[in-house]
Amino acid sequence: MPKRPVLDFWYEFASTYSCLSALRIEALAEEAGVALRWRPFLLGPIFAAQGWTTSPFNLFPNKGRYMWRDMARRGGRSGLSFVRPETFPQNSLIAARLALAGREAGWMPAFSKALFRAQFCEGRNIAEEAVLNAALKAAGADPGVAYAASRSEEVKGRLKAETEYAKSIGIFGAPTFVTEDGELFWGDDRLEEALDWAKDGC
């Protein structure tokens, strides 16, 4: 059986558009015959390198207003009701470490989707332990084991390395999709195009 092409899905837990992609990417990838590699990372260091102290959606109010309205429109097309959390962007450090801790165990995608729903469909704070625990349990993970792994130097180092690698290949926002030949696509609205490129190279 021929090897399936692979698409890297780079996402940030505090990113609204990453949420949209996370909740629809698996079905689209399966239909396209493309394997996914879920790659959580942190946008904060990348923004800081550009001199930004917060999300551009906060720095530029008109852009922010447009984004929240766009989320409502795009979510509505998928039958999703989005809620603006009280805090935006949220602290996603522990969430990203937990996700990486679940990569080998196989629960990273389910955990990621559960956490995105908690944040942007229910308005919950993903930095709170109760919210993280609920997402872990929904993904079939043992919170005690997951937290222990997430606090290891190996996982902490892996997240730093992933973020640095994302920066080195030119990633500047999330979600970003990268094909095996290095083609980069930014934004939820480029997901279908990224899958086509991963499959056909054009």
Side-chain angles (χ1 to χ4, degrees):
M1 186 174 179
K3 178 178 173 287
R4 295 173 113 197
V6 178
L7 182 69
D8 281 346
F9 169 35
W10 292 87
Y11 61 102
E12 153 72 72
F13 278 107
S15 159
T16 51
Y17 288 107
S18 289
C19 174
L20 283 173
S21 291
L23 297 183
R24 70 194 194 96
I25 193 170
E26 287 178 312
L28 291 173
E30 183 62 31
E31 183 180 344
V34 173
L36 290 175
R37 190 155 44 207
W38 292 64
R39 303 190 75 159
F41 73 113
L42 299 176
L43 270 177
I46 293 174
F47 286 168
Q50 301 176 61
W52 294 349
T53 57
T54 185
S55 166
F57 295 124
N58 288 347
L59 292 172
F60 307 103
N62 284 344
K63 190 171 188 175
R65 282 190 289 272
Y66 173 85
M67 180 272 290
W68 290 112
R69 180 60 195 138
D70 193 42
M71 285 290 292
R73 287 194 305 256
R74 294 181 69 81
R77 285 165 48 193
S78 303
L80 298 169
S81 178
F82 282 92
V83 175
R84 180 174 181 170
E86 185 176 340
T87 301
F88 177 82
Q90 295 189 2
N91 186 328
S92 59
L93 176 62
I94 297 174
R97 286 177 178 169
L98 283 168
L100 284 173
R103 175 175 281 168
E104 281 74 30
W107 48 259
M108 178 194 281
F111 168 74
S112 300
K113 291 185 292 181
L115 207 55
F116 274 125
R117 287 192 190 97
Q119 180 179 197
F120 293 118
C121 298
E122 301 168 16
R124 309 287 299 281
N125 188 337
I126 63 168
E128 293 180 359
E129 189 170 345
V131 177
L132 291 163
N133 284 345
L136 286 167
K137 290 174 183 175
D142 181 320
V145 174
Y147 270 101
S150 74
R151 295 186 183 109
S152 70
E153 292 305 314
E154 192 272 331
V155 167
K156 291 178 181 179
R158 193 188 312 167
L159 179 57
K160 289 180 183 177
E162 285 285 89
T163 300
E164 284 302 312
Y165 180 65
K167 188 191 303 184
S168 75
I169 62 174
I171 290 177
F172 54 87
T176 294
F177 315 100
V178 183
T179 61
E180 289 179 287
D181 63 355
E183 201 72 22
L184 188 149
F185 298 83
W186 170 56
D188 175 65
D189 58 351
R190 292 296 182 267
L191 172 54
E192 286 84 354
E193 187 177 342
L195 287 166
D196 285 344
W197 193 286
K199 183 176 63 173
D200 302 321
C202 60

